[in-house]
Amino acid sequence: MDHTCRAVFILEEDHSIPTGHKPLMLEAILHRPIMERAVVQCLADGVQRFFVVCSPRFAEEAATCFPEGTDVVISEQHAELLDFLDNDEDTLVLCRAALPMAQAGPGFAYSAPGRELREVWKNKMTNAVSGASLVSGWLPIFGPETIAELEPVLAKMEQES
């Protein structure tokens, strides 16, 4: 992710989240939300602006994952997303909950120029973006079971570093 300046995190749609739960990106792994870990990695990689596709119900919680002063828009408004993408900067897209992990291969995150994403997403949100490049270093989180499996691994990695 050498020249990626922007990132879009797409959280699950509100209606698909069971009552009493929250989007997976907001679930904690070792006491920190997955999205906070993703933000820290993106900032370290040079990402300067963020857009989080998120319902108003979880917007406040999503905002707490970003350090003070971070340039972030949190909205479920399609027009705002299209405005955010109206540029030629490479944009990282996390279309599902994913944890930054250097050893992870490509497949669950991708990057494409903003205007290309904008054109493809103008009518429908899809991952079929022709000019997109798969990005390594993101491990998908499929549910609470994945979090439970990863916690001991992550704890060991954090101890060793």
Side-chain angles (χ1 to χ4, degrees), residues 19-150:
T19 307
H21 291 353
K22 54 187 165 187
L24 277 172
M25 280 294 272
L26 297 177
E27 293 290 347
I29 186 163
L30 296 180
H31 314 292
R32 285 176 55 208
I34 294 166
M35 188 156 67
E36 182 182 316
R37 292 171 180 279
V39 168
V40 167
Q41 184 62 54
C42 285
L43 289 169
D45 290 343
V47 173
Q48 299 159 351
R49 296 192 65 209
F50 295 85
F51 192 101
V52 180
V53 179
C54 174
S55 81
R57 181 163 66 132
F58 299 105
E60 194 174 307
E61 190 171 351
T64 65
C65 295
F66 292 85
E68 184 89 23
T70 303
D71 188 348
V72 60
V73 176
I74 300 172
S75 174
E76 65 178 357
Q77 298 301 313
H78 193 70
E80 288 183 49
L81 175 60
L82 294 179
D83 284 349
F84 178 82
L85 295 170
D86 194 12
N87 63 78
D88 292 320
E89 294 178 339
D90 275 345
T91 302
L92 171 72
V93 178
L94 289 179
C95 51
R96 67 170 316 118
L99 186 67
M101 192 167 281
Q103 305 89 322
F108 293 95
Y110 60 90
S111 179
R115 284 203 176 87
E116 198 164 314
L117 290 167
R118 186 178 196 274
E119 198 54 41
V120 170
W121 290 350
K122 204 179 277 185
N123 298 313
K124 179 182 161 199
M125 294 295 285
T126 176
N127 290 330
V129 180
S130 59
S133 306
L134 293 177
V135 177
S136 298
W138 295 95
L139 192 65
I141 305 294
F142 296 106
E145 317 75 38
T146 311
I147 293 171
E149 288 172 19
L150 287 173

